[in-house]
């Protein structure tokens, strides 16, 4: 059955954009061994002839007319921002210095 | 006054025996008296509640036609946004955030004149079965303050059981309304998926999440159900059809000729003896009331838990990507020269708790290339099999029933370090979410061995929610005759608790 190494878990944390301490990685590696064994049971009955269900309702696109309706003001939209400037979200640098 | 049902409170309001301001103040006083011990609330909006109560009293004085629940106080789970009122989802990452808009559930409550007392505690982002995963500390079960009130909506269920509010809103992704109701001796309903708008409900697992009503009686729950339910153009998964007639069903409580299917797989090994005993006695009461009890089988339910713990983490890993420290919420490490990515990494490390991180990583793994088919893909197939089990069973019966949970409330801390043991609490509630059908839990007594409440679960087909209210009301009436007083009158009094 599946198991993950500490490096695998560290890679998942990187993909999920979460810094983790050594202790956290250690704990999660142990826990994932147990959890993955338990959830892998789905493979026992998931044969190729069974269709997948992603959602309880038959989903279809819902359209509305392209008309302006009341919405948040810029001040309201920015009211929870950690930082803002000139009616925009201010974010840390997203490109390297040399870029 | 605070120990009455919402229906009785509404009668006192319409007869002029009391006012909404007095009723609201009585509940605020009760919160001040007992919430130090229970910790059901994360935020109490006393001023907003009293203002809204005064508005309802003024409208009543002007002779305006009011909705049946106008002026009645309610506790709102902190996962639904209310304009200007702090919404944390039990997480540090949203500490101090005040949403700039109302969820549709809140809009519907406000339009009906329901008075929102405040926001209730929950497992962080609704991930958990005990409310121990809240970043703001656990909620305590009013039946025994050393025990859990269920989760994720333990704040809402505890508020009802401690008489801090007669009505509450919960959300149910795998049992987060029904399991807390079961372990606190209250009533909770997960409506059909799409029956209540998810607009403004902070998403955990979008294909499973559903907001629903909680109260101390079946009729109160039905009244609240009709207030919050209905089609919403702002939610593309909202069902565009009339709301099931749940109030009429709850008032009628008629089960003569109904076929009630007992799920063979959800009652047996692993279920506490007192839970099974109360469940069996309830079946006898329903048979006496004229229902026909039949056994139904759902062979794939045993895979529901495994499928749930792949589907829900997968969807959560995607949904919680929005907490990126850029547009709202916590931001950590934004020093000169720090990159956006390092700020994101640091913020999510500090802002998320242990269970949330565990599920985000599990979901990231289940969706990753090379493992997708084995995990997420297989789980989606199990979802099909579970839905087929329900469809087959509903050909033989009108509703399906089971105990809501395998055990009564466990001790705070007892399962905190064993995620799998914690997940097992939801073994009987998860299939309902997988198929998107309706589910109710109502109290059916206390287990003889520990004196703690036991929940009876009723499941009804898609958009046939009225059926579970008929059965729930019939069982509630039969039990009340037996007990002579509501079950919560057996709970310890918290009066004078500091």
């Amino acid at each position: 059955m599946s198991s993950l190494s500490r490096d695998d878990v560290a890679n998942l944390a990187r993909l999920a954009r979460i810094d983790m301490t050594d202790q956290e990685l250690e704990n999660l590696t142990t826990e994932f061994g147990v959890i993955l064994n338990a959830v892998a049971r789905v493979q026992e009955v998931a044969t190729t002839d069974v269709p997948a269900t992603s959602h309880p309702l038959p989903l279809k696109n819902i359209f509305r007319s392209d008309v302006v309706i009341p919405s948040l003001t810029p001040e309201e939209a920015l009211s929870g921002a950690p930082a803002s400037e000139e009616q925009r979200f201010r974010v840390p640098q997203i490109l390297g210095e040399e870029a | 006054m605070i120990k009455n049902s919402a229906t009785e409170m509404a009668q006192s309001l319409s007869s002029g025996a009391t006012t909404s301001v007095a009723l609201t103040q009585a509940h605020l006083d009760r919160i001040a008296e007992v919430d130090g011990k229970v910790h059901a609330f994360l935020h109490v909006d006393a001023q907003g509640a009293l203002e809204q109560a005064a508005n309802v009293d003024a409208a009543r004085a002007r002779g305006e036609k009011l909705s049946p629940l106008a002026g009645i106080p309610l506790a709102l789970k902190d996962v639904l946004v209310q304009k200007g009122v702090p919404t944390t989802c039990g997480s540090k990452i949203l500490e101090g955030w005040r949403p700039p808009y109302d969820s549709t559930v809140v809009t519907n409550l406000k339009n009906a004149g329901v008075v929102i007392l405040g926001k209730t505690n929950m497992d962080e982002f609704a991930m958990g079965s005990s409310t121990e995963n809240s970043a703001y500390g656990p909620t305590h079960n009013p039946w025994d303050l050393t025990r859990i009130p269920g989760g994720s909506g333990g704040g809402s269920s505890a508020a009802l059981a401690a008489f801090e509010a007669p009505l509450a809103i919960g959300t149910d992704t795998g049992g987060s309304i029904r399991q807390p109701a079961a372990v606190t001796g209250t009533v909770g309903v997960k409506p059909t998926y799409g029956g209540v708008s998810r607009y403004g409900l902070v998403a955990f697992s979008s294909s499973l999440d559903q907001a629903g009503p909680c109260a101390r009686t079946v009729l109160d729950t039905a009244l609240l159900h009709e207030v919050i339910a209905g089609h919403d153009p702002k939610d593309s998964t909202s069902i565009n059809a009339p709301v099931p007639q749940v109030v009429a069903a709850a008032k009628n409580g008629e089960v003569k000729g109904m076929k009630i299917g007992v799920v063979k797989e959800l009652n047996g090994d692993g279920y506490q003896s007192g839970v099974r005993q109360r469940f069996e006695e309830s079946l006898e009461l329903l048979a006496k009331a004229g229902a026909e009890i039949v056994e139904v089988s759902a062979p794939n339910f045993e895979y529901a838990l495994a499928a749930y713990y792949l589907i829900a983490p997968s969807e959560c890993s995607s949904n919680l990507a929005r907490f990126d420290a850029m547009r709202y919420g916590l931001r950590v490490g934004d020093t000169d020269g720090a990159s956006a990515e390092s700020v994101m990494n640091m913020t999510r490390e500090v802002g998320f708790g242990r269970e949330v991180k565990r599920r985000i990583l599990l979901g990231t793994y289940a969706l990753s290339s090379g493992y997708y088919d084995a995990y997420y893909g297989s789980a989606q197939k199990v979802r099909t099999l579970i839905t087929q089990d329900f469809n087959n069973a509903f050909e033989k019966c009108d509703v399906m029933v089971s105990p809501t949970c395998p055990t009564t409330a466990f001790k705070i801390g007892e399962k905190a370090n064993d995620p799998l043991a914690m997940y097992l609490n939801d073994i009987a509630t998860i299939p309902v979410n997988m198929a998107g059908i309706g589910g109710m839990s109502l109290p059916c007594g206390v287990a003889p061995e520990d004196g703690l409440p036991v929940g009876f679960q009723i499941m009804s087909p898609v958009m046939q929610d009225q059926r579970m209210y008929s059965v729930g009301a019939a069982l509630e009436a039969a039990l009340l005759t037996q007990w002579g007083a509501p079950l919560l009158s057996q709970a310890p009094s918290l009066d004078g608790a500091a």
Side-chain angles (χ1 to χ4, degrees), chain A residues 31-91:
Chain A
E31 289 163 3
F32 276 3
V34 180
I35 294 172
L36 286 175
N37 264 330
V39 298
R41 286 203 65 204
V42 293
Q43 293 156 10
E44 292 172 21
V45 284
T47 48
T48 47
D49 56 324
V50 180
T53 298
S54 63
H55 203 273
L57 301 172
L59 286 181
K60 56 180 195 317
N61 276 329
I62 309 279
F63 297 96
R64 67 166 174 83
S65 317
D66 186 17
V67 291
V68 177
I69 52 169
S71 63
L72 299 181
T73 63
E75 289 71 27
E76 286 171 330
L78 290 165
S79 63
S84 63
E85 220 173 275
E86 296 172 25
Q87 291 207 341
R88 290 171 176 83
F89 294 100
R90 194 189 67 73
V91 303

Side-chain angles (χ1 to χ4, degrees), chain A residues 1-4 8-21 24-25 27-28 31-32 34-57 59-62 64 69 72 75-84 89-95 97, chain B residues 83 97-98 100-101 193-194 198 206-207 236-237 239 300 302-303 305-307 309-310 315 325-331 334 337-346 348-349 352 354 357-358 360-362 364-365 368 374-385 387-388 419-420 423 433-436:
Chain A
M1 210 49 82
S2 0
S3 67
L4 289 180
D8 292 334
V9 177
N11 189 42
L12 289 173
R14 189 185 58 75
L15 290 171
R17 301 288 184 269
I18 306 176
D19 278 346
M20 283 206 175
T21 63
E24 279 181 299
L25 290 173
N27 292 344
L28 278 171
E31 289 163 3
F32 276 3
V34 180
I35 294 172
L36 286 175
N37 264 330
V39 298
R41 286 203 65 204
V42 293
Q43 293 156 10
E44 292 172 21
V45 284
T47 48
T48 47
D49 56 324
V50 180
T53 298
S54 63
H55 203 273
L57 301 172
L59 286 181
K60 56 180 195 317
N61 276 329
I62 309 279
R64 67 166 174 83
I69 52 169
L72 299 181
E75 289 71 27
E76 286 171 330
L78 290 165
S79 63
S84 63
F89 294 100
R90 194 189 67 73
V91 303
Q93 67 177 34
I94 52 171
L95 300 171
E97 287 290 347
Chain B
K83 187 174 181 175
W97 181 57
R98 290 176 187 259
Y101 69 106
Y193 181 89
R198 289 187 298 111
S206 310
S207 79
S236 66
T237 60
I239 293 175
N300 293 294
E302 67 167 301
Y303 300 99
L305 194 69
Y309 279 99
L310 287 166
E315 293 188 14
M326 300 300 142
R327 293 154 300 155
Y328 40 70
L330 187 69
R331 180 183 286 183
D334 188 9
S339 71
E341 190 175 327
S342 75
V343 168
M344 225 179 269
N345 289 339
M346 288 166 78
R348 287 160 68 83
E349 157 70 350
F352 289 142
R354 192 171 160 190
K357 288 177 188 166
R358 189 185 288 142
I360 289 175
L361 261 60
L362 184 60
T364 304
Y365 178 65
S368 60
Y375 290 107
Y376 185 64
S378 297
Q380 287 188 315
K381 290 181 173 190
V382 169
R383 196 166 184 177
T384 306
L385 296 172
T387 306
Q388 286 171 358
L420 274 188
Y423 297 169
N433 301 79
M434 301 290 268

Side-chain angles (χ1 to χ4, degrees), chain B residues 446-462:
Chain B
V446 295
E449 61 270 28
D450 56 21
L452 294 167
V454 175
F456 186 93
Q457 179 176 231
I458 310 165
M459 300 165 264
S460 53
V462 169

Side-chain angles (χ1 to χ4, degrees), chain B residues 61-306:
Chain B
R62 287 193 299 270
E64 285 178 26
K65 179 151 171 47
L66 298 172
S67 103
L69 293 177
I72 308 290
L74 171 140
L76 182 67
K77 188 177 180 183
D78 203 26
V79 69
L80 285 145
V81 303
Q82 180 183 356
K83 187 174 181 175
V85 176
T87 299
T88 67
C89 299
S91 181
K92 285 280 176 214
I93 212 161
L94 278 178
E95 190 166 18
W97 181 57
R98 290 176 187 259
Y101 69 106
D102 279 332
S103 53
T104 296
V105 165
V106 165
T107 301
N108 291 346
L109 290 170
K110 286 181 174 175
N111 288 343
V114 177
V115 173
I116 302 173
L117 292 170
K119 310 297 291 289
T120 55
N121 200 11
M122 55 186 283
D123 285 300
E124 186 176 4
F125 289 109
M127 298 177 200
S129 311
S130 67
T131 316
E132 290 167 289
N133 293 335
S134 167
Y136 304 97
T139 297
H140 301 262
N141 191 324
W143 284 80
D144 175 348
L145 294 171
T146 68
R147 290 177 189 269
I148 60 104
S152 64
S156 285
S157 67
L160 294 170
F163 300 101
E164 296 173 273
L167 300 171
I169 297 291
T171 61
D172 192 312
T173 304
S176 288
I177 287 176
R178 290 161 289 156
Q179 182 254 5
V183 299
T184 57
T186 58
V187 183
V189 164
K190 176 221 169 286
T192 292
Y193 181 89
V196 175
S197 171
R198 289 187 298 111
Y199 180 74
L201 159 59
V202 180
F204 156 24
S205 182
S206 310
S207 79
L208 301 164
D209 295 342
Q210 181 63 74
C214 312
R216 292 191 290 260
T217 71
V218 172
L219 178 56
D220 288 357
T221 311
L223 289 164
L224 185 56
H225 188 134
E226 289 198 3
V227 165
I228 60 173
H231 179 244
D232 178 15
K234 290 174 177 164
D235 173 2
S236 66
T237 60
S238 165
I239 293 175
N240 193 354
V243 176
Q245 300 287 303
V246 296
V247 171
K251 283 182 175 165
N252 199 0
E254 185 55 73
V255 291
K256 269 199 191 70
M258 276 184 92
K259 280 191 178 175
I260 295 178
V262 180
V263 186
K264 196 172 81 180
E265 288 80 4
L266 296 180
N267 186 15
D269 289 347
Y271 288 78
Q272 192 180 319
S273 70
V275 168
R276 291 168 68 175
Q277 186 187 332
R278 295 302 177 221
F279 176 70
E280 303 293 338
E281 289 167 2
S282 299
L283 293 178
E284 284 168 28
L285 290 175
L286 287 168
K288 261 190 214 159
E292 186 188 341
I293 312 293
V294 298
E295 187 182 80
V296 294
S297 177
N300 293 294
F301 279 16
E302 67 167 301
Y303 300 99
L305 194 69

